[in-house]
Amino acid sequence: MASDKPYCACATPPGVSGIALIRMAGDGASTVADRVFVLRRAALGAKSVSEMQGYTVAYGHIVHPETHKIIDEVMLTRFTAPHSYTGEDAIEISCHGGTAVRQEILRVLLLAGARMALPGEFTRKAFAAGKIDLTQAESVMDVIAADSAMALEAAESQLMGTVKKEVRRISSSIYAVFAAMEMMVEFPHEEEYPQDDEKQEAALQAILHDMDMLIGTFSQGRILKEKMTTVLVGVPNSGKSSLLNRIAGFERAIVTSVPGTTRDTLEVDTTMGGVPIRLIDTAGIRGTEDEVEAIGVNRAKKATGEADIVFWLVSSENFRLEEHEEMIGDLAKLSKNTKLGLLISKSDTGSNEANDAVQKAILSSFAGIEDAHDISFIQNVSATTGEGIDAMCDMVKAVYDALGVGHGQEVIITSERHYERLRAAQEHVKEALRVLSHGEPKEIVCLLLRTAMEEIGEITGDSVSEKLVDTIFSRFCIGK
Amino acid sequence: MGTWNDAISAKYAYIADEYEVAVVGAGHAGCEAACAAAHLGLKTVLFTLHLDAIANLPCNPSIGGTAKGQLVREIDALGGIMGEMADLSAIQTRMLNRSKGPAVFSPRAQMDRSQYSRRMKERLEKEPNLTLCQSEIVEVLWNEDASAKSICGVKTKSGACYPVKAVVICSGTYMESRTIMGECITESGPDGLSRSVGLSQSLRDAGIPILRFKTGTPVRVNALTVDKDEMDIQPGEPDMPPFSFGNEMAGVEVKKEQIPCYAVWTTEQTREVIKNNMDRSPLYSGVISGTGPRYCPSIEDKFVRFSDKSRHQIFVEPMGETTEELYLQGFSTSLPEEVQIKMVHSLPGLSHARIQRYAYAIEYDLIDPTSMKLSLESTILSGLFTGGQINGSSGYEEAGAQGLLAGINAALYVKGEAPLILDRSTSYLGVLVDDLVTKGTSEPYRMMTSRAEYRLFLRQDNADIRLTDIGHRIGLVGEERYAKFCEKRAAIEAEEERLRNTYIAPKEELHAILRAHNSTLTPSGVSLAELVKRPELHYDDLAPVDINRPALRKDIVFAIEVDLKYEGYIALEKDRIAKFETLEKRALAADIPYESIEGLRLEARQKLSQRKPLSVGQASRISGVSPADIAVLLVYLDAQKRKGREAHA
């Protein structure tokens, strides 16, 4: 195979950051690097990148290969084949995080003989070099995308193969039943092999249970990947924007005291209680003739309807019960299927009695509506003092935990693809059990179990189809 | 050695008649190969050591059985002859697995051994384009140029050099064979017939890898010295359809008068005798070097391996209408004669039995099947085809199926046309060939239904639907038979259509039938197809509410029932087949540099370079190539495509 140019890309996301990371891998990476890197200090007395040992770092400058103009002050790490991510020679440059600098460094690398990496090329090469398997490749993407502690944990555990292990264990159990069925089909007239259908039926029941448990973890797993939608609702100027800013930690929303300032829904990805959430701040909902505001209000109602958690803010400041009538009606309808929390906001501005009075008024009005479920979470909060925010975090975590199936379940399915495969396999196993218990032909049971194993095999990469490989690698973007 | 000129220049050598195809060996593989090549219009010669032992059944005197019955039906669907021959010589028939589902129904029939052989000889002698010749082939002759070897002739022991364009070797268990009975070793073929000497060496000289296997055959006793009252009778079933589709479509009934088989169990005494004489067993004393079949172990094998079982079942089978010989199935052994006598006498009903033929083990040379292509042509010597036990299989049906394919492809080779390749999703024959060629085998390979991934689709009843079009396209299935087949297929489709579109009202007439079969009553009109689908109902049961139905043959009704009852599952299987096909169609060029594809493990690189699979699918079945390797291969192919270079088939 003709040797290819080394390929490079920026591995850190676009946007401003303190440091950026540029990677280059492939045969000749060090040679290309030497054309643009002026080494000032390196471990073990190396004078150039090609002289550096693997796993060592050097300090120096990236310069234009012809003019030698200094572009940036950087740290350069060298990896020698096969001890690198892709198994090839590689270098990583830690440079300053400005966009211009990054672009310039990439440009000179290209001038010096490298080419831009294709989407997912680094991980694809790692896979091709046998460094990681298919499901690990998949989880690299997840680790990168994980922006909460739990999601990271789940992704890392997949990288370590715990999902694979559990799925394989289930597959082996299916195989045991399959083998027994095959025996009965293959050697019918030999009395030497007893027909113990009941034992096999029991085994299939156990397998279905295990599959249920594993599939059930996806409801939590999905959250880890897609985040729990948490919507803040309340009449205009009830303190939603301030609270959102407080929780998210920066000035995302414009906060003024004129009602109706937030014109649209604002979304912030953050975590509460370690759980990744998408916090949505809705426009102040009130009857309005303002068209723009009306659009915002509709969006808000839609977001509220689809939320996992709704935090309803009511402030004791200028409190009038009639203003909240429509909201009480809407939320009562939702209370059956959505987790609802009542927050007495701006608690620092009102007295204890005022806050309690508001709470009582809202609750009794709420209770008066037919079909309204009780509000289980009630809390005084203040964006200014921070009161109640910890309690909110606990509540979010509790909702997340309640989604979990069985405690102590270490393996979590986060991938939609895995979930679909398991579901499909489970359907086949269910059908197999039905066929077996009805005394229908055993070779049908064999077919169904075999198909189930093939589906599961696609999760672990034990059975490979073209589509599978394509699907996994199509999700990648450049630099990873 | 090996070249034509060397052969001709030897003393007493002479140039004999020219033929297009030469078949070596007239066992089940050879007969199919010779018949096929001749029928396809090629001038064919069939060499055999013994004209009186054509299509011999040296072991089990039956054709068919689990998975094997399916093979026989496939041979027939493609235009081979085993099915017709079996129908003519059957003395007892039984459809195995009747109590299971139709996917594993397997027809089986006991044969009149001598009749089968005689009828086959008659058939071959009457085939135009085919010459039979009793002569021993000792050499294959080839031309060699820079790039490859290609066959150009065969030479007999008596010095005749026959110029031929293609050769099919079906030497069965005859190459360099030895029969072993305790301490008594004889250089002989099966049944005391003479063996082939020299041909194996000639193949070695050509560069073909040679292996050595062992198999065995049991004792035959005289029925007049046997007490049948002490045995369990195993009657036949006269309603098994014929093996041959032609016969089935013509409504021919196979064998109404059935000769029964019997079964006995071994006793404590049997176990004792074997135990006390194990030191005289050539297998356990190291005299036998070849590897025996796991699925067909000798009786002493069974006692050793399944030591927790106190007894084994033995079947006592008749060998023909005009002979008193009985075959003891499951009782093959290579223990000495003396011990065999004691063993037989320990069986119920056989305490005074007289042995007419003693059991023996036989060792023989064969070729490594991984040195063949999927067309059964050698990768080392062009124009050389092999079929049957020489490829590492065991069993008459496995041999016949391979012989048919080898004969067809030898003919296509001579005609300069592309070979017929059948894949695993089309037939048991496809599974058989792919298993042997792609995976190889370390013991005699026996077909089993569990080897087929698409068992629901590869049934004995639909072999014609699967393969007759191919047989016709090649030219082995004649116009008359093909026309009848097309009629059958059309009738099935038409009737299925009618059943789907005919609705039966929920009246008492229907409900009476449903109640009689414990089937749930229908609240509204339901189609006939829906009713036939129910496990507890059959097409015939619905006659009273379907008076205008056409009169259909049994086999057509059977096919319709299976199609409808298993519709959902067959569709599932077809999905799986489609998935399978995408990898089968992903072609791999012959010059892919596997050695330099890093992600492949070492073993995979070696195997892929050596075996040069035609497709990613075939690559996935080579031992030593894991799914992870396949994923790497797919990513590699994709990268190649992106670089603008397509992998050409």
Side-chain angles (χ1 to χ4, degrees):
Chain A
M1 225 169 102
S3 58
D4 207 359
K5 283 181 177 178
Y7 49 98
C8 61
C10 186
T12 43
V16 179
S17 59
I19 291 186
L21 190 84
I22 293 179
R23 298 170 130 156
M24 178 165 56
D27 243 3
S30 320
T31 318
V32 170
D34 270 328
R35 292 192 191 122
V36 301
F37 180 68
V38 176
L39 194 152
R40 300 275 180 229
R41 268 199 295 284
L44 305 169
K47 298 280 188 309
S48 66
V49 178
S50 311
E51 275 180 39
M52 285 167 70
Q53 282 199 17
Y55 298 134
T56 62
V57 184
Y59 161 74
H61 291 115
I62 297 288
V63 304
H64 191 285
E66 282 145 32
T67 67
H68 300 289
K69 168 164 165 273
I70 292 180
I71 293 168
D72 194 16
E73 194 184 10
V74 302
M75 300 297 284
L76 184 148
T77 311
R78 188 187 184 198
F79 302 88
T80 50
H83 302 293
S84 70
Y85 184 55
T86 64
E88 305 156 300
D89 263 3
I91 59 138
E92 279 179 8
I93 300 172
S94 304
C95 61
H96 288 91
T99 316
V101 150
R102 280 205 317 259
Q103 291 297 91
E104 195 57 25
I105 293 181
L106 283 173
R107 212 170 66 81
V108 298
L109 283 175
L110 295 187
L111 276 176
R115 61 166 174 85
M116 283 307 286
L118 300 164
E121 188 162 7
F122 287 93
T123 302
R124 197 187 271 260
K125 280 279 170 68
F127 169 73
K131 297 269 175 178
I132 53 176
D133 70 28
L134 265 185
T135 49
Q136 287 171 319
E138 235 186 338
S139 42
V140 165
M141 192 61 210
D142 290 350
V143 170
I144 291 166
D147 49 10
S148 75
M150 286 182 178
L152 186 63
E153 209 180 282
E156 280 183 332
S157 94
Q158 175 160 336
L159 206 50
M160 299 296 279
T162 51
V163 167
K164 204 156 62 149
K165 215 164 100 184
E166 175 63 11
V167 169
R168 279 220 179 110
R169 192 190 63 77
I170 291 177
S171 194
S172 307
S173 312
I174 296 178
Y175 189 81
V177 178
F178 171 75
M181 289 289 120
E182 285 283 337
M183 280 303 281
M184 292 187 218
V185 166
E186 195 70 53
F187 300 109
H189 47 274
E190 307 251 348
E191 295 165 19
E192 321 186 332
Y193 302 102
Q195 314 260 330
D196 54 354
D197 286 6
E198 270 142 32
K199 181 158 156 234
Q200 304 310 328
E201 283 177 46
L204 287 178
Q205 299 272 26
I207 289 168
L208 280 173
H209 173 79
D210 286 345
M211 290 180 96
D212 260 338
M213 301 296 290
L214 189 55
I215 289 173
T217 66
F218 184 62
S219 52
Q220 279 191 315
R222 183 189 61 78
I223 300 275
L224 292 185
K225 259 217 178 139
E226 295 170 28
K227 308 170 213 310
M228 193 136 67
T229 16
T230 307
V231 178
L232 302 176
V233 299
V235 300
N237 209 23
S238 46
K240 300 187 295 297
S241 307
S242 311
L243 189 61
L244 180 138
N245 284 337
R246 177 77 195 217
I247 295 173
F250 56 82
E251 296 295 309
R252 168 92 190 224
I254 315 156
V255 183
T256 68
S257 60
V258 174
T261 319
T262 323
R263 291 281 167 151
D264 214 324
T265 57
L266 275 176
E267 294 181 1
V268 175
D269 288 344
T270 180
T271 60
M272 284 181 81
V275 179
I277 62 170
R278 176 154 289 165
L279 198 51
I280 302 179
D281 176 14
T282 60
I285 298 178
R286 61 167 188 178
T288 176
E289 274 130 31
D290 186 315
E291 211 183 285
V292 173
E293 206 179 294
I295 292 175
V297 166
N298 283 333
R299 282 221 195 99
K301 287 197 173 173
K302 184 166 184 290
T304 310
E306 293 169 351
D308 291 306
I309 296 181
V310 173
F311 283 125
W312 178 16
L313 282 75
V314 181
S315 164
S316 63
E317 204 177 64
N318 306 325
F319 176 71
R320 276 177 15 251
L321 187 59
E322 315 81 69
E323 262 190 6
H324 302 266
E325 295 289 347
E326 196 185 331
M327 179 128 296
I328 291 175
D330 287 340
L331 290 178
K333 284 197 205 106
L334 281 183
S335 64
K336 190 161 156 210
N337 295 321
T338 312
K339 286 275 173 294
L340 192 52
L342 175 62
L343 305 178
I344 310 300
S345 59
K346 306 190 194 180
S347 58
D348 53 310
T349 59
S351 64
N352 283 347
E353 293 86 24
N355 288 339
D356 284 346
V358 168
Q359 187 178 312
K360 268 211 188 72
I362 295 286
L363 286 178
S364 61
S365 181
F366 203 78
I369 299 185
E370 227 184 278
D371 289 340
H373 280 229
D374 283 340
I375 303 178
S376 51
F377 182 74
I378 301 159
Q379 177 66 40
N380 290 354
V381 297
S382 163
T384 323
T385 65
E387 180 188 359
I389 296 199
D390 282 345
M392 282 175 74
C393 288
D394 287 344
M395 186 257 196
V396 169
K397 174 114 193 338
V399 170
Y400 171 79
D401 281 344
L403 287 174
V405 177
H407 296 282
Q409 181 79 6
E410 284 160 18
V411 189
I412 301 184
I413 302 288
T414 55
S415 153
E416 179 95 38
R417 184 181 77 83
H418 296 178
Y419 175 71
E420 288 304 321
R421 291 281 134 266
L422 277 172
R423 283 284 312 273
Q426 192 187 39
E427 284 310 305
H428 293 313
V429 176
K430 254 198 208 132
E431 178 68 3
L433 181 56
R434 189 197 68 76
V435 170
L436 184 56
S437 51
H438 277 70
E440 284 167 36
K442 293 202 166 62
E443 67 265 19
I444 304 286
V445 179
C446 290
L447 164 64
L448 291 164
L449 293 181
R450 205 193 261 271
T451 313
M453 289 189 288
E454 282 171 5
E455 297 277 7
I456 291 181
E458 292 210 0
I459 296 177
T460 55
D462 287 336
S463 53
V464 181
S465 69
E466 270 202 271
K467 234 177 77 182
L468 169 69
V469 178
D470 280 347
T471 308
I472 290 180
F473 286 108
S474 67
R475 299 168 51 217
F476 281 86
C477 43
I478 300 189
K480 313 234 164 40
Chain B
M1 71 195 156
T3 64
W4 177 266
N5 293 331
D6 290 339
I8 285 298
S9 50
K11 215 172 175 191
Y12 305 124
Y14 73 97
I15 301 182
D17 287 340
E18 188 170 338
Y19 287 92
E20 292 178 288
V21 178
V23 179
V24 179
H28 302 281
C31 291
E32 293 289 344
C35 219
H39 201 71
L40 290 174
L42 284 98
K43 192 168 172 225
T44 311
V45 59
L46 172 57
F47 293 105
T48 173
L49 293 167
H50 316 104
L51 274 175
D52 296 313
I54 288 182
N56 190 19
L57 299 160
C59 200
N60 202 324
S62 72
I63 297 279
T66 33
K68 292 162 176 269
Q70 280 88 324
L71 277 169
V72 180
R73 300 224 88 193
E74 287 177 6
I75 290 173
D76 184 83
L78 280 169
I81 54 179
M82 189 179 254
E84 288 165 27
M85 294 291 124
D87 285 342
L88 285 174
S89 318
I91 55 177
Q92 195 220 55
T93 60
R94 205 150 85 107
M95 181 69 93
L96 300 181
N97 286 336
R98 259 221 201 279
S99 57
K100 316 246 173 223
V104 289
F105 279 8
S106 304
R108 183 181 189 274
Q110 294 291 129
M111 294 291 126
D112 184 312
R113 184 184 176 194
S114 49
Q115 234 192 74
Y116 189 90
S117 171
R118 264 197 339 267
R119 290 219 162 97
M120 183 66 86
K121 177 164 183 267
E122 215 185 303
R123 175 80 168 75
L124 295 175
E125 280 172 345
K126 292 196 161 74
E127 179 74 41
N129 294 333
L130 179 59
T131 305
L132 300 181
C133 181
Q134 182 162 298
S135 206
E136 182 178 350
I137 300 295
V138 293
E139 266 188 74
V140 288
L141 308 172
W142 66 84
N143 289 324
E144 190 158 2
D145 64 27
S147 53
K149 291 192 184 73
S150 61
I151 208 141
C152 63
V154 289
K155 183 175 177 189
T156 70
K157 190 158 176 198
S158 44
C161 297
Y162 289 83
V164 296
K165 302 206 177 99
V167 175
V168 187
I169 301 187
C170 305
S171 54
T173 59
Y174 284 78
M175 287 203 297
E176 313 296 326
S177 46
R178 303 196 297 177
T179 57
I180 299 156
M181 208 165 37
E183 302 87 6
C184 176
I185 300 174
T186 317
E187 293 186 332
S188 142
D191 277 332
L193 298 170
S194 56
R195 63 184 191 156
S196 150
V197 177
L199 180 57
S200 171
Q201 184 58 46
S202 175
L203 293 174
R204 258 203 204 90
D205 292 341
I208 293 171
I210 303 290
L211 305 173
R212 196 157 176 85
F213 279 0
K214 139 196 164 341
T215 188
T217 197
V219 164
R220 324 295 155 87
V221 298
N222 187 308
L224 298 174
T225 58
V226 155
D227 188 357
K228 300 205 175 101
D229 292 334
E230 290 191 37
M231 305 179 184
D232 307 318
I233 191 167
Q234 307 245 309
E237 293 160 10
D239 65 345
M240 189 188 94
F243 282 106
S244 162
F245 285 100
N247 286 340
E248 192 176 21
M249 292 193 285
V252 168
E253 294 259 351
V254 177
K255 199 60 197 172
K256 288 198 158 155
E257 284 288 326
Q258 303 259 329
I259 300 184
C261 294
Y262 298 87
V264 294
W265 289 93
T266 59
T267 61
E268 244 335 282
Q269 208 194 336
T270 322
R271 206 205 322 213
E272 278 304 302
V273 169
I274 293 176
K275 200 169 91 169
N276 296 336
N277 286 284
M278 281 308 273
D279 55 320
R280 297 182 72 185
S281 154
L283 182 76
Y284 291 96
S285 67
V287 171
I288 295 184
S289 59
T291 328
R294 268 180 302 169
Y295 319 110
C296 210
S298 61
I299 186 70
E300 61 265 27
D301 266 344
K302 286 192 207 174
F303 274 110
V304 167
R305 271 204 269 141
F306 306 108
S307 49
D308 55 317
K309 297 183 77 51
S310 57
R311 57 181 201 164
H312 297 278
Q313 197 172 34
I314 309 292
F315 294 94
V316 183
E317 297 172 349
M319 296 203 56
E321 279 170 334
T322 53
T323 170
E324 295 301 328
E325 281 191 71
L326 293 173
Y327 173 95
L328 299 184
Q329 197 209 108
F331 216 60
S332 79
T333 175
S334 54
L335 286 166
E337 262 185 41
E338 227 190 310
V339 181
Q340 290 186 31
I341 296 171
K342 293 203 189 97
M343 281 161 62
V344 171
H345 289 174
S346 74
L347 297 173
L350 289 149
S351 45
H352 302 290
R354 299 245 185 84
I355 297 178
Q356 271 187 211
R357 297 186 215 224
Y358 287 95
Y360 59 86
I362 179 168
E363 274 189 344
Y364 55 98
D365 276 0
L366 60 139
I367 69 158
D368 182 343
T370 61
S371 69
M372 290 190 297
K373 303 180 196 173
L374 289 168
S375 58
L376 297 181
E377 185 185 5
S378 171
T379 52
I380 295 166
L381 182 48
S382 304
L384 175 69
F385 294 81
T386 44
Q389 289 191 260
I390 187 180
N391 287 341
S393 66
S394 84
Y396 316 132
E397 304 82 358
E398 289 88 336
Q402 287 173 67
L404 178 62
L405 188 66
I408 289 173
N409 283 333
L412 292 173
Y413 171 85
V414 171
K415 287 187 186 180
E417 291 170 27
L420 172 65
I421 313 261
L422 295 168
D423 75 39
R424 302 182 74 88
S425 65
T426 60
S427 53
Y428 272 98
L429 173 48
V431 174
L432 171 61
V433 170
D434 188 69
D435 275 349
L436 289 174
V437 170
T438 308
K439 299 182 193 166
T441 181
S442 56
E443 62 182 337
Y445 174 103
R446 182 204 190 279
M447 182 50 76
M448 298 188 295
T449 64
S450 54
R451 294 195 193 267
E453 292 86 357
Y454 310 108
R455 191 166 46 195
L456 209 55
F457 186 57
L458 305 185
R459 305 190 308 272
Q460 61 89 25
D461 66 273
N462 71 355
D464 57 349
I465 306 285
R466 290 183 276 120
L467 298 168
T468 305
D469 284 321
I470 296 176
H472 178 247
R473 178 172 54 84
I474 296 176
L476 276 182
V477 172
E479 291 308 324
E480 204 190 310
R481 155 103 175 249
Y482 187 63
K484 283 221 188 80
F485 162 71
C486 290
E487 258 175 50
K488 172 181 173 181
R489 182 165 50 190
I492 293 174
E493 283 168 15
E495 181 63 2
E496 282 177 9
E497 183 68 15
R498 186 189 76 85
L499 290 172
R500 283 190 236 276
N501 294 324
T502 307
Y503 286 81
I504 308 298
K507 300 212 194 99
E508 180 50 28
E509 244 185 336
L510 174 59
H511 287 175
I513 299 175
L514 295 176
R515 253 180 261 120
H517 290 91
N518 276 327
S519 194
T520 43
L521 301 186
T522 50
S524 55
V526 66
S527 71
L528 280 169
E530 279 303 312
L531 291 169
V532 172
K533 258 199 194 129
R534 298 183 178 195
E536 62 278 5
L537 291 176
H538 287 283
Y539 180 86
D540 291 337
D541 299 330
L542 298 164
V545 291
D546 187 24
I547 35 182
N548 292 324
R549 58 171 45 169
L552 293 171
R553 260 193 345 248
K554 266 197 307 191
D555 57 318
I556 294 179
V557 170
F558 185 87
I560 291 170
E561 280 219 2
V562 175
D563 278 347
L564 289 177
K565 284 190 191 292
Y566 295 107
E567 206 168 18
Y569 301 119
I570 291 177
L572 184 62
E573 188 121 285
K574 290 230 166 105
D575 277 343
R576 290 177 60 228
I577 291 179
K579 258 196 202 160
F580 161 79
E581 290 291 338
T582 52
L583 281 186
E584 283 310 282
K585 292 201 165 49
R586 208 62 212 280
L588 289 173
D591 59 353
I592 292 184
Y594 295 110
E595 292 293 334
S596 56
I597 300 180
E598 273 175 29
L600 295 176
R601 288 161 323 118
L602 197 58
E603 194 186 355
R605 291 190 223 184
Q606 285 169 353
K607 288 276 170 68
L608 290 168
S609 306
Q610 183 194 25
R611 306 284 302 283
K612 301 201 202 303
L614 297 175
S615 68
V616 176
Q618 194 188 2
S620 70
R621 295 189 290 278
I622 297 177
S623 94
V625 178
S626 72
D629 293 314
I630 293 301
V632 171
L633 206 54
L634 286 170
V635 170
Y636 167 82
L637 288 176
D638 197 51
Q640 289 303 102
K641 215 155 73 169
R642 283 179 189 219
K643 287 194 181 127
R645 297 196 290 261
E646 292 273 355
H648 293 292

